[in-house]
Amino acid sequence: MSVKLKLTVPELRRLAIRKQFLTADATPPMLEMVQEMGCLQLDPISAVERSHLLVLWSRLGHAISEDDINKLIYEDKSLFEYWAHVASIVPVADYPFHQHRMKSYPQISENSKWAQEFAKWMNQVESHDPPLSQIILDALRENGPMNTKEFDDPDGRWRRETGWSSSNGFNRMMDILWGQGKVMVAHRQGKQRYWDLAERCLPDWTPREDIDADEITYRAAQRAVKALGAATPQQIKVHFIRGRYENLQENLDRLVTDGPLIPVELVDQKGDYYIHTDDLPLLESIRAGEFAPRTTLLSPFDNLICDRDRTEMLWDFYFRIEIYVPKAKRQYGYYVLPILHGDDLIGRIDPRYDRKTNTLEVNNIYAEDDAPKTVATQKAIAKSIQSLATFLGADKIEIGNTSDRWSKLPQYLG
């Protein structure tokens, strides 16, 4: 019987950080980076900046701009907006992974009040002649890209009423057509999406291989493991194509038998981990001391930390979004950015970008209890805050409260 490969928590930390392009090593072009990561989560909250742009800035620095990623999505059409582990930017090369979801969307199987109400609304709007979905598709075919505000519903026929809210039926149906892969985001103006027929948004070279659920799991599990460095089945389930790993354990067993994955024991931790054979040389280089640390700030939705349980296990760093927590009850702040310093999460900042005054307001800077106090650490954090300000276009930085461990940090800001 062969001896299972053992991995320490510090080694896995470094492996995960390397796989997420968060070291000081040279970074690949943006498209290659997104392809390796699998997805960039989209989130409309812009207290600082939208999440996908922060994720790119954390890796590429303030030289990147929104135009760079928009060109890849809406001009080059190498990426597109769809649902990965949440609403995301995903590679067109991965279209077959998402095509399977499109064919079965929406699946309304639960017996909840919401599901019953949704099904009732769907039956209502699709029983018209023509049905609401056809009205939208015909309008897009005739007019080209449209925002849902351009659709007219003077008598409220398509509005979806619920017991506590109402919503624009065109928005609701457009999201369904998006889930089905019939429409896609052709371009954006600010946060406003302009939709068009998917056939006009996807490039001619789009792969359309029809693969079944097991093959999707077989391939996607490898992508998730590579992006995570090493992972348990539960960690795989919530990464990349969250909730779509059918027969995961059976396919992990097959991947071990076939050779791409190797079972790993994480020292002093429970659970079965897997590493991809392609990453064994990278692991050996880390064990040989080849790790280039850097300091940066992370979006709350960054791929490295989006699995909160994994983040707590690897870094002993408890992190939750407090956006929906009443202000008086927040522990850290509305939109907090963790601080990655080398291979550790050492603290967090509570920032807000005031676009009217071009000011990056850092309300609080928090340090973990065991965070290093050194001048070098404080200078590195200050440099990251300055880089964020430059990326945002801020003319000045205002610092509020700072941890006693880092009392000198404000003086290192340029």
Side-chain angles (χ1 to χ4, degrees), residues 135-409:
I135 290 172
I136 291 174
L137 293 172
D138 288 346
L140 294 177
R141 186 169 287 108
E142 180 177 350
N143 301 319
M146 296 176 67
N147 183 269
T148 51
K149 293 179 180 179
E150 298 177 64
F151 289 88
D152 191 25
D153 185 18
D155 58 5
R157 172 184 298 182
W158 309 117
R159 185 169 292 276
R160 178 176 179 235
E161 301 289 347
T162 69
W164 50 272
S165 68
S166 63
S167 63
N168 183 311
F170 289 105
N171 285 337
R172 186 70 59 170
M173 183 55 72
M174 195 72 80
D175 281 340
I176 292 169
L177 293 171
W178 178 47
Q180 294 173 340
K182 295 178 181 178
V183 303
M184 288 184 176
V185 180
H187 64 87
R188 285 180 178 249
Q189 291 185 10
K191 296 179 185 178
Q192 295 296 314
R193 295 177 292 184
Y194 283 78
W195 301 92
D196 201 357
L197 301 176
E199 62 204 52
R200 296 201 292 232
C201 294
L202 290 168
D204 293 340
W205 56 264
T206 301
R208 299 180 185 274
E209 180 186 4
D210 190 7
I211 53 180
D212 63 24
D214 270 311
E215 186 63 19
I216 288 172
T217 299
Y218 187 88
R219 298 186 193 183
Q222 295 182 67
R223 294 285 299 280
V225 169
K226 280 188 170 186
L228 293 167
T232 66
Q234 180 57 37
Q235 292 166 4
I236 294 168
K237 285 180 182 178
V238 297
H239 200 78
F240 189 31
I241 57 167
R242 181 181 296 170
R244 286 185 268 159
Y245 292 98
E246 295 188 28
N247 303 318
L248 177 59
Q249 190 57 59
E250 292 87 337
N251 280 285
L252 290 175
D253 293 342
R254 185 157 66 100
L255 283 163
V256 171
T257 300
D258 293 349
L261 295 187
I262 296 175
V264 174
E265 177 186 336
L266 192 60
V267 177
D268 296 328
Q269 295 292 329
K270 295 179 180 180
D272 297 320
Y273 282 76
Y274 298 87
I275 189 173
H276 202 282
T277 53
D278 289 351
D279 289 327
L280 292 178
L282 178 57
L283 175 60
E284 289 306 310
S285 72
I286 288 171
R287 287 175 166 174
E290 297 177 19
F291 182 78
R294 63 187 287 256
T295 302
T296 191
L297 309 171
L298 301 177
S299 159
F301 306 105
D302 194 284
N303 298 43
L304 183 72
I305 57 170
C306 61
D307 182 343
R308 308 305 186 203
D309 292 337
R310 174 181 161 97
T311 300
E312 190 170 359
M313 185 279 296
L314 278 181
W315 285 280
D316 192 23
F317 189 84
Y318 182 84
F319 183 66
R320 297 293 185 273
I321 299 290
E322 296 185 286
I323 291 168
Y324 302 110
V325 176
K327 185 175 182 180
K329 295 184 177 181
R330 290 175 192 149
Q331 183 178 3
Y332 296 109
Y334 179 80
Y335 198 81
V336 169
L337 309 185
I339 303 167
L340 176 67
H341 181 65
D343 63 359
D344 203 3
L345 294 172
I346 62 170
R348 57 200 97 196
I349 72 168
D350 168 24
R352 173 182 173 270
Y353 178 40
D354 187 334
R355 289 167 174 78
K356 292 182 180 179
T357 62
N358 282 343
T359 301
L360 175 59
E361 302 169 351
V362 182
N363 302 307
N364 296 283
I365 301 177
Y366 302 97
E368 293 293 283
D369 291 341
D370 58 351
K373 301 179 183 179
T374 65
V375 168
T377 299
Q378 295 180 67
K379 285 184 175 180
I381 297 169
K383 183 178 179 181
S384 293
I385 294 172
Q386 184 66 65
S387 175
L388 176 62
T390 302
F391 170 62
L392 296 172
D395 295 326
K396 58 182 178 178
I397 302 170
E398 292 182 354
I399 302 292
N401 301 314
T402 304
S403 167
D404 290 341
R405 298 181 74 86
W406 297 331
S407 58
K408 295 181 180 179
L409 192 155

